[in-house]
Each structure stands twice: as C-alpha cells, then as structure tokens.
Amino acid sequence: MERGTKMKKKQQEYAGFTACREVFRDRLNHLMYERGVSARQVSRNIGHSPTYVNKLQNGDIRPTLEIVCILADYFKVLKGYFIDDQLNNDP
C-alpha cells in the first residue's frame, strides 16, 4: 500500500472514531436533559466522578465499551443507542 493511501485510510478511521464520539456525546446530553439529571447525579449512579461524566458530555474523552453498557442500563436504552447514529429509538 502506498504511503498516501495509508494516510487516507488512517484519516478515515479517525473520522469514524470522532463521529462515534460525537454521536455518544449528543445522545448522552439529550438523555440527561430529557431526564433532568445532572452530571453529579449520573456519576453517583454509575460509580464515576462528575468530572468524568462532564468530559463524556463535552466529547473530551472516548467512552469505553464498559461505560456505554453502564449508561445504557442506567438510562434504560439499547447499548447501540449511544454509538449508532442510525438508531433513533428514543427511550
């Protein structure tokens, strides 16, 4: 594979990760707003600090699969809701 082709592929992969992070961020913020819960309330229920939840809300960090599962259980939504921008089944 040519160097330029490798670089383009890496950029596409990175864009995919960024898009996933944005979908997660938007969905998390939507659920928190809709349910009227703060980062502090969510953090108490999921076992992470409010700072960690704020970073997820801002898209500053990528969620792990574990945190996606924990939040899906907390908000009672499908796990795919946080990562699939085509899945639009609001809880």
Side-chain angles (χ1 to χ4, degrees):
M1 201 182 293
E2 230 176 89
R3 184 174 182 201
T5 306
K6 281 184 182 180
M7 186 174 272
K8 275 188 178 180
K9 187 170 182 160
K10 288 260 187 219
Q11 288 171 340
Q12 288 171 343
E13 288 173 8
Y14 182 74
F17 284 128
T18 301
C20 286
R21 190 183 322 179
E22 290 171 356
V23 169
F24 177 87
R25 178 199 65 207
D26 293 347
R27 297 285 172 95
L28 177 60
N29 284 318
H30 171 77
L31 286 171
M32 289 177 67
Y33 175 79
E34 185 179 71
R35 309 279 171 96
V37 294
S38 67
R40 180 175 295 274
Q41 291 169 308
V42 172
S43 70
R44 285 184 190 147
N45 287 287
I46 67 167
H48 285 276
S49 71
T51 302
Y52 179 78
V53 175
N54 283 327
K55 287 181 179 183
L56 289 170
Q57 282 184 280
N58 295 331
D60 294 338
I61 57 174
R62 268 189 247 151
T64 63
L65 181 56
E66 178 185 19
I67 199 67
V68 169
C69 293
I70 290 169
L71 286 168
D73 289 344
Y74 173 72
F75 285 110
K76 296 184 180 10
V77 296
L78 298 172
K79 291 159 186 65
Y81 177 78
F82 283 110
I83 54 177
D84 186 352
D85 63 345
Q86 301 301 311
L87 188 60
N88 214 3
N89 64 336
D90 289 324

